[in-house]
Amino acid sequence: MRLLAALSALAAFLVLSAGAGMAERLGGRSASSTSTFGLAVVARGLEAPVGIATTPSEPRRLYVVEQRGTVRVIERGRLRSGFFLDVRDRVVSGGEQGLLGLAFDPLYPRNRFVYVNFTDREGHTRIVRFRTNGRRALPGSARLLLRV
């Protein structure tokens, strides 16, 4: 599932970033005529998604990182209401700043730890660990691991 999600995200990025320039480099042929990858709408209603993560223990869930400071969950093909994580009050976003990454602990099924990378209100990069209850990250469990 991780590989499928990563390949889907990579394919979407390559097709979207290639645009007309790719068609010119291919001798006038469109990128879609030379590629086995395609685009498919997975969810609507996301705001500035910058990343996607999944964990083997939850194969039917995709976690979408939104630059503004939220993480949304796509479960069984549907965008779940509410947030898995909401750190908008801690994040400055725009350009290359914001909530930029999410990773699951290798022992996530046992310890429920997730790690996020974001730019704080002062412009510093932070890596913070949160514990989850399986449905949402618990705000009070935040532990700063790195500040640059």
Side-chain angles (χ1 to χ4, degrees):
M1 184 67 180
R2 266 189 195 175
L3 180 59
L4 178 61
L7 286 175
S8 296
L10 176 61
F13 172 77
L14 291 174
V15 171
L16 290 173
S17 63
M22 177 63 91
E24 291 170 9
R25 286 189 295 278
L26 294 173
R29 295 173 296 166
S30 71
S32 63
S33 69
T34 61
S35 174
T36 59
F37 292 105
L39 291 177
V41 175
V42 176
R44 297 187 191 283
L46 296 165
E47 187 175 317
V50 295
I52 191 166
T54 188
T55 177
S57 64
E58 298 174 349
R60 300 200 187 278
R61 290 184 184 169
L62 297 175
Y63 294 80
V64 181
V65 178
E66 295 179 304
Q67 186 177 17
R68 66 182 174 171
T70 57
V71 176
R72 307 285 306 274
V73 177
I74 299 172
E75 191 167 15
R76 298 177 188 248
R78 295 186 177 201
L79 185 62
R80 199 166 70 190
S81 64
F83 302 113
F84 174 75
L85 175 69
D86 184 353
V87 290
R88 288 178 289 182
D89 61 335
R90 305 173 193 204
V91 171
V92 61
S93 69
E96 295 182 6
Q97 296 181 319
L99 180 59
L100 303 174
L102 169 74
F104 289 87
D105 192 281
L107 301 176
Y108 179 75
R110 285 189 269 165
N111 64 23
R112 296 286 184 192
F113 290 152
V114 296
Y115 305 89
V116 293
N117 168 26
F118 63 87
T119 311
D120 69 16
R121 297 269 178 196
E122 293 80 41
H124 303 115
T125 295
R126 290 181 180 241
I127 306 294
V128 177
R129 183 187 77 193
F130 287 90
R131 183 182 298 275
T132 78
N133 63 10
R135 297 277 300 162
R136 307 229 184 293
L138 306 172
S141 70
R143 180 174 178 214
L144 178 64
L145 301 178
L146 178 69
R147 180 174 173 255
V148 180

